[in-house]
Amino acid sequence: RRARARRAPRGGGVGAGSRGGKRAARARTSAMLAELDHAKLITRKTTQPLPKPPDEALGFGKVIADHMLKCTWRADTGWAPPELVPSGPIALHPFSHVLHYAIECYEGMKVYRDSSDKLRLFRPKLNMKRFHESCERLCLPAFSQEALLRCIEDLVRLDGDWVPRQKGYSMYMRPVAFSTTPWLGLTQCSEAMIFVLLSPVGPYFKSGFQAIKLAVEEKHIRAWPGGVGAAKCGGNYAPTVLPQIEAARAGCSQALFCYGKDQIVTEAGTMNIFFLWVNEDGEEELITPWLDDGCILPGITRLSVIELCKSWGEFKVTEQAVKLAPLLKASEEGRLLECFGTGTAAVIQPVKSLTYEGKEYTLPIAATGEASGPIAMRVMQQLGDIQNGEVEHEWSHVID
C-alpha cells in the first residue's frame, strides 16, 4: 500500500510545532519564576549597631548605616524573598561575572529629613525606572520597580535614625545590581544580586557654594553613539579617573568630555552640564546636551532643572547637540553667561571657566569672584526647598 503523506503541522511547516512548543515552555517557565515581592520581605536586625559619627564629622560616602537591603536572583527560580540584613562584607564566587566583565549598574539617591522630622525621597520612581533600564541594557534580571521601592522605604524606616538632622545634610542611598554568575565564560546572567546601601553624608560644599574650573577632554572619550552612556554602569565611570587626574594637573577640578570632529559636549566628570548663553539669534537660552544619541545619563536632577526652568517662562530652554566651538566663541564675545553641572551628590555645581588647548575661557563669575551665577543659585535654592520639604511639591516623596 502507498503510505499516506503526513500532513505538516500548521503554522510554519516542518518543526514549527516544536519551536512553538519551546516558546510556550519558555513562557510557562518565565511565568513560574518568582517576582521580587515586598510582601515576602524578611528583616534581620543587627545585634551589633555601628557607631554613628556626629553630623559635623560626615564627609561623603565613607560611613555605612546599620542595615542594607539584599535581593538575590537565579535564572531557574527567580527572585528569592528580599532581606533587610546587617551591613557587612559580601561573599562572591571568584568567577563572578561582575569581577571579570563589569556586569554591574547602580543608582544614586538621597533621603532628606524635613523640619517636621519626616523622611523624604526625591522623585524615587524615576530612579527605579532608570535602574531598571540600566539592568535591562546589561542583561541583568528585571524586577518590580514598585516592590523594590517599597523595600527601600522599609530600609529607610529601619535606619531612619541614621538620617542627619542638620540642614544641608542627608543620607545617600546606593542601589547596586550585579551578576554573580560563577563562570569565566561570558554569557547571559544566570545569577544576580541587588543591594541597597545607606550612607549619611554632609553637605557637598561645607563652606558654601564653590565654582570650579573644567578642562576640555577630547583624547579620552567617555561615551559615544551606540555605547552605554545612557546606562548608569560602573564601566562608564572607572575610565574617567585618569582624565580627572590630568585635569587636576592642568589646574582644573573636572574634565568636560567631548567626542567627534564636531567636539560634541557630553558630561562634566560625573555630572550633566548646562550652559546659559545669549545665542546667535540674540535670545537668552539655557542649553544642555540632548539624550537622542544615547551618550549621556538621563539625570534626575537634569530633568528637574529643565522642568523647573521651563516653568519660569523667562528664557528659552533647549536640549540639543551642544558643540564646543560655539561655546568658546560665546565666551570670547561675552555671551556665555553661566555654566553649571547637575547631579545627586552636589545637586548644582557652578563652573567659572573652561580650559581648552592651554587657554582659559572664563564666565562672568570668574571676574566678579561670586561663587555662582543667579540662575544656578536660584535653581539650587528651589530644588533644595523641594528636597527638604520646605515647600510641598509632587517631586518630594514622603516615607510615612
Side-chain angles (χ1 to χ4, degrees), residues 49-54 63 66 161-162:
L50 299 169
K52 293 188 185 76
V63 177
D66 279 329
D161 285 345
W162 282 83

Side-chain angles (χ1 to χ4, degrees), residues 312-383:
W312 297 346
E314 298 174 9
F315 44 79
K316 191 175 179 180
V317 180
T318 307
E319 299 174 71
Q320 64 182 51
V322 177
K323 298 181 180 180
L324 179 65
L327 293 175
L328 302 183
K329 181 184 177 188
S331 174
E332 291 181 320
E333 296 175 354
R335 294 185 290 107
L336 187 58
L337 308 179
E338 289 190 46
C339 174
F340 55 89
T342 63
T344 301
V347 185
I348 302 295
Q349 170 63 75
V351 174
K352 60 182 176 182
S353 71
L354 310 175
T355 297
Y356 178 62
E357 294 184 339
K359 181 177 178 179
E360 187 173 19
Y361 296 80
T362 60
L363 287 100
I365 59 173
T368 64
E370 295 173 289
S372 172
I375 298 302
M377 183 66 76
R378 184 178 168 191
V379 169
M380 180 68 169
Q381 182 64 52
Q382 291 196 12
L383 286 180

Side-chain angles (χ1 to χ4, degrees), residues 44 49 76 101 150 220 228 239 245 290 303 311 329 344 376 392:
R44 291 196 293 111
D76 56 347
Y101 305 116
R150 291 184 67 185
H220 303 289
V228 292
I245 292 172
W290 60 7
L303 176 63
S311 73
K329 181 184 177 188
T344 301
E392 287 300 325

Side-chain angles (χ1 to χ4, degrees), residues 55-72:
D55 288 355
E56 296 78 11
L58 293 173
F60 184 83
K62 293 186 177 182
V63 177
I64 193 167
D66 279 329
H67 299 90
M68 57 188 184
L69 173 63
K70 176 184 177 182
C71 307
T72 305

Side-chain angles (χ1 to χ4, degrees), residues 104-322:
E104 175 270 355
C105 61
Y106 68 95
E107 270 301 317
M109 307 168 67
K110 279 184 178 178
V111 186
Y112 302 88
R113 187 185 297 278
D114 68 20
S115 58
S116 300
D117 215 32
K118 293 179 181 177
L119 301 179
R120 296 172 176 265
L121 300 173
F122 183 70
R123 310 190 80 172
K125 291 182 179 180
L126 294 182
N127 289 100
M128 295 299 99
K129 180 177 181 291
R130 186 174 65 182
F131 192 34
H132 192 275
E133 290 171 350
S134 294
C135 285
E136 187 176 49
R137 177 61 182 85
L138 297 177
C139 296
L140 287 165
F143 58 85
S144 165
Q145 298 174 43
E146 180 183 357
L148 182 59
L149 181 54
R150 291 184 67 185
C151 290
I152 285 173
E153 290 175 340
D154 279 352
L155 173 63
V156 172
R157 291 186 186 100
L158 182 59
D159 277 355
D161 285 345
W162 282 83
V163 182
R165 285 171 164 76
Q166 289 197 44
K167 188 173 182 180
Y169 291 70
S170 58
M171 184 150 70
Y172 185 80
M173 183 186 301
R174 171 57 61 86
V176 57
F178 51 91
S179 173
T180 56
T181 304
W183 188 29
L184 285 179
L186 178 57
T187 185
Q188 188 170 338
C189 173
S190 64
E191 297 181 20
M193 289 177 135
I194 290 177
F195 279 88
V196 180
L197 314 172
L198 300 177
S199 177
V201 296
Y204 198 81
F205 304 103
K206 285 203 170 184
S207 57
F209 249 170
Q210 294 180 0
I212 64 171
K213 298 180 179 182
L214 296 179
V216 175
E217 177 59 67
E218 297 179 289
K219 177 183 175 183
H220 303 289
I221 309 300
R222 180 196 175 274
W224 50 90
V228 292
K232 199 170 178 67
C233 54
N236 284 338
Y237 296 90
T240 67
V241 175
L242 177 59
Q244 182 177 345
I245 292 172
E246 293 180 351
R249 289 174 182 157
C252 300
S253 298
Q254 287 283 1
L256 179 65
F257 292 100
C258 301
Y259 76 87
K261 64 179 182 180
D262 290 328
Q263 298 170 300
I264 304 297
V265 174
T266 57
E267 294 190 5
T270 59
M271 302 179 292
N272 294 128
I273 192 75
F274 285 81
F275 303 91
L276 180 70
W277 69 349
V278 177
N279 62 29
E280 294 282 3
D281 296 325
E283 303 169 302
E284 190 169 315
E285 181 182 30
L286 183 68
I287 60 173
T288 192
W290 60 7
L291 304 177
D292 295 39
D293 59 7
C295 287
I296 71 165
L297 190 72
I300 313 303
T301 310
R302 170 190 178 276
L303 176 63
S304 302
V305 170
I306 291 171
E307 293 178 349
L308 196 61
C309 290
K310 282 185 176 180
S311 73
W312 297 346
E314 298 174 9
F315 44 79
K316 191 175 179 180
V317 180
T318 307
E319 299 174 71
Q320 64 182 51
V322 177

